[in-house]
């Protein structure tokens, strides 16, 4: 009888497995002055911001916020109906923001939230006026320029009743940075009838660790479109935004587009809790690995009827690496409608051969299929922003082959 030899098991790390030594980063000494004109940044830095979705010219934007290392260097709002402030200014102006500050996220949730609560370098406060329709997006960037910098930020967004807001928030490091740690708290409140599209584009580095913590609360007839895009290398990222639909008729959609090259470890998913009747939620994730690890949990919780939710996790392993999709459905009352679809696999050979028969070589055919897989229609985004995201996906797809 021949000996059966099994392959070594690849064990993906589970949530919270990566424990970062936050004391090894610098939290003082990386302050910068105010920068009125962001076009003063050098060409490489402007390009880094652009790849995170931020146009330094401010063209067709309703406002801009830039945090650089430990300082707010630029904050502006171009139109009436929306306020953009540094979080420290907002705390001073609004008597500590008692309705919102640390009301959605527990400061003692973990050591990363505790670190931000103990020392906050900055972050933004964005609030619409009741009934305002802000069509051009607000853009923000949390930028790390110094080596071994630890950046702690706290963001608060308030979408008042019957108002509409688009935000694109990019996070990036300078091309000179090899190692850094970003920790960010985001608390998002959508009032009755309010609508928010929130798109986060991450553009980190190969030795950068990232620990955002995000909670959104949506009231009656509110709409929250949450989009996350990560196509560049990162040492580790751990995200798990949670959205609570607390008002009748509230709606949430969460889209994620993630690529993991070798050396990247990404633990990114979404959770939506349907706490009120006539609420709806959708979680869509597209993941690709070319050698990195992706943990992709998705969790729908139904606590009221009627309520409906769908969860979709799809992944492609192109060369090597691990994708661990974890769809979860949880209902506490009869009549809730929750569904999921999950698949992890490879590019179908017949699709490659189909395109090769029409004149593409194998790499071109595979790249075309991958770009199509990553392209997810993000409902509610301005066309210009959607075009910029499509361009980023195009460039990322080309770099893989």
């Amino acid at each position: 009888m021949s000996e059966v030899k099994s392959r070594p098991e690849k064990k993906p790390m589970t949530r919270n497995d990566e424990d970062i030594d936050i004391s090894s980063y610098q939290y003082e000494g990386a302050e910068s002055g105010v920068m009125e004109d962001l076009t003063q940044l050098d060409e490489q830095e402007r390009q880094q911001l652009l790849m995170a979705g931020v146009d330094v010219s401010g063209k067709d934007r309703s406002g801009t916020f830039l945090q650089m290392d430990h300082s707010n260097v630029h904050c502006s709002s171009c139109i009436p109906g929306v306020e953009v402030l540094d979080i420290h200014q907002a705390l001073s102006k609004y008597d500590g923001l008692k309705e919102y500050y640390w009301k959605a996220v527990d400061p003692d949730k973990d050591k990363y939230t505790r670190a931000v609560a103990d020392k906050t370098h900055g972050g933004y406060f964005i609030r619409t006026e009741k009934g305002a329709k802000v069509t051009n997006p607000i853009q923000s960037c949390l930028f790390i320029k110094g080596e071994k910098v630890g950046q702690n930020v706290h963001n608060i967004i308030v979408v008042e009743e019957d108002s509409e807001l688009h935000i694109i928030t990019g996070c990036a490091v300078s091309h000179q940075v090899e190692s850094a740690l970003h920790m960010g708290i985001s608390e998002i409140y959508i009032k009755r009838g309010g609508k928010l599209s929130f798109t986060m584009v991450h553009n980190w580095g190969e030795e950068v660790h990232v620990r955002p913590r995000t909670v959104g609360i949506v009231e009656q007839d509110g709409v929250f479109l949450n989009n996350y895009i990560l196509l560049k290398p990162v040492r580790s990222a751990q995200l798990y935004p949670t959205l609570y639909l607390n008002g009748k008729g509230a709606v949430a959609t969460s889209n994620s587009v993630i690529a993991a090259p070798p050396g990247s470890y990404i633990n990114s998913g979404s959770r939506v809790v349907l706490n009120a009747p006539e609420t709806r939620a959708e979680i869509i994730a597209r993941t690709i690995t070319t050698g990195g690890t992706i943990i992709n949990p998705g969790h729908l919780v139904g606590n009221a009827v009627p309520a409906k939710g769908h969860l979709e996790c799809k992944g492609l392993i192109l060369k090597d690496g691990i994708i661990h999709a974890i769809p979860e459905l949880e209902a506490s009352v009869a009549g809730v409608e929750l569904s999921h679809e999950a698949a992890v696999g490879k590019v179908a050979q017949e699709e490659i051969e189909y395109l090769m028969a029409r004149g593409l070589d194998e790499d071109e055919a595979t790249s075309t299929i991958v770009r199509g897989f990553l392209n997810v229609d993000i409902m509610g985004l301005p066309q210009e922003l959607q075009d910029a995201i499509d361009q980023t996906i195009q460039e990322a797809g080309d770099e893989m082959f």
Side-chain angles (χ1 to χ4, degrees):
M1 183 176 180
S2 62
E3 181 183 358
V4 177
K5 294 182 178 180
S6 61
R7 297 180 61 187
E9 184 181 5
K10 295 180 179 180
K11 293 184 178 180
M13 289 176 282
T14 56
R15 203 175 307 157
N16 300 323
D17 271 359
E18 291 202 79
D19 186 20
I20 310 303
D21 179 8
I22 61 177
S23 67
S24 64
Y25 296 87
Q26 304 298 321
Y27 300 92
E28 304 284 352
E31 288 74 27
S32 302
V34 172
M35 186 177 293
E36 296 292 345
D37 182 4
L38 296 183
T39 62
Q40 296 172 358
L41 293 166
D42 68 40
E43 178 57 33
Q44 285 184 307
E45 289 172 341
R46 282 186 287 173
Q47 190 61 33
Q48 290 290 103
L49 294 181
L50 190 62
M51 290 301 292
V54 175
D55 183 347
V56 296
S57 75
K59 182 176 179 293
D60 295 328
R61 298 291 194 263
S62 295
T64 299
F65 176 88
L66 175 62
Q67 172 89 25
M68 188 173 289
D69 293 328
H70 300 154
S71 304
N72 158 33
V73 300
H74 185 93
C75 184
S76 62
S77 174
C78 312
I79 64 168
V82 63
E83 186 175 34
V84 183
L85 295 174
D86 171 83
I87 191 67
H88 295 304
Q89 292 175 309
L91 288 168
S92 176
K93 181 177 180 178
Y94 293 111
D95 192 24
L97 291 169
K98 294 174 182 173
E99 289 182 73
Y100 309 112
Y101 195 62
W102 291 114
K103 297 303 181 186
V105 176
D106 181 356
D108 292 315
K109 174 181 172 61
D110 56 38
K111 71 176 186 180
Y112 308 110
T113 57
R114 190 69 258 166
V116 178
D118 289 344
K119 184 175 183 58
T120 302
H121 294 122
Y124 54 76
F125 171 77
I126 300 174
R127 182 167 69 176
T128 57
E129 293 179 359
K130 182 178 179 180
K133 307 296 182 186
V134 184
T135 53
N136 286 332
I138 300 286
Q139 62 178 359
S140 79
C141 185
L142 307 168
F143 190 65
I144 297 179
K145 194 174 181 179
E147 181 64 17
K148 295 296 286 185
V149 160
Q151 183 186 61
N152 301 345
V153 296
H154 193 143
N155 309 309
I156 291 180
I157 300 167
V158 182
V159 179
E160 295 287 359
E161 287 187 18
D162 299 317
S163 65
E164 182 174 334
L165 178 65
H166 305 272
I167 296 176
I168 178 167
T169 179
C171 297
V173 294
S174 168
H175 62 280
Q176 301 169 328
V177 172
E178 293 185 358
S179 176
L181 170 62
H182 167 86
M183 294 179 282
I185 306 300
S186 294
E187 298 181 284
I188 300 171
Y189 303 89
I190 301 176
K191 303 293 185 65
R192 181 172 182 165
K195 181 177 181 181
L196 172 67
S197 73
F198 182 80
T199 299
M200 179 179 287
V201 184
H202 275 178
N203 187 10
W204 298 111
E206 293 181 358
E207 294 299 326
V208 177
H209 295 281
V210 188
R211 294 293 183 272
R213 301 291 185 259
T214 300
V215 173
I217 297 174
V218 188
E219 297 182 359
Q220 181 173 342
D221 296 322
V223 177
F224 191 172
L225 309 177
N226 186 49
N227 308 304
Y228 178 65
I229 298 166
L230 173 57
L231 302 172
K232 298 294 184 180
V234 64
R235 178 65 185 88
S236 78
Q238 187 186 81
L239 311 89
Y240 192 59
T242 297
L243 313 180
Y244 294 95
L245 305 185
N246 289 348
K248 180 180 178 182
V251 175
T253 298
S254 178
N255 295 304
S256 299
V257 180
I258 298 170
S264 291
Y265 173 88
I266 302 162
N267 186 340
S268 177
S270 295
R271 180 171 181 251
V272 182
V273 183
L274 298 91
N275 281 332
E278 299 180 19
T279 50
R280 291 179 289 120
E282 186 175 54
I283 298 174
I284 304 292
R286 294 283 189 274
T287 58
I288 282 182
T289 176
T290 56
T293 295
I294 299 174
I295 312 297
N296 183 222
H299 190 188
L300 285 171
V301 183
N303 293 327
V305 288
K308 184 179 291 186
H310 180 69
L311 190 160
E312 188 175 305
C313 308
K314 291 187 176 178
L316 283 179
I317 299 176
L318 295 184
K319 295 175 183 175
D320 202 351
I322 295 172
I323 295 177
H324 186 180
I326 312 169
E328 293 182 76
L329 306 178
E330 179 181 347
S332 62
V333 293
V336 170
E337 296 181 63
L338 303 179
S339 60
H340 78 78
E341 179 181 355
V344 177
K346 62 180 183 179
V347 177
Q349 187 61 33
E350 58 268 27
E351 294 181 22
I352 295 174
E353 291 172 354
Y354 176 83
L355 292 176
M356 291 177 69
R358 279 150 181 79
L360 301 183
D361 65 29
E362 184 171 359
D363 282 351
E364 290 171 336
T366 306
S367 179
T368 299
I369 293 167
V370 168
R371 287 198 299 272
F373 176 80
L374 289 176
N375 267 304
V376 176
D377 288 336
I378 299 176
M379 187 177 64
L381 285 186
Q383 188 58 49
E384 180 207 36
L385 188 52
Q386 181 67 61
D387 291 345
I389 291 168
D390 292 344
Q391 180 65 27
T392 302
I393 290 172
Q394 169 83 26
E395 292 171 357
D398 291 343
E399 288 176 3
M400 291 178 186
F401 300 94

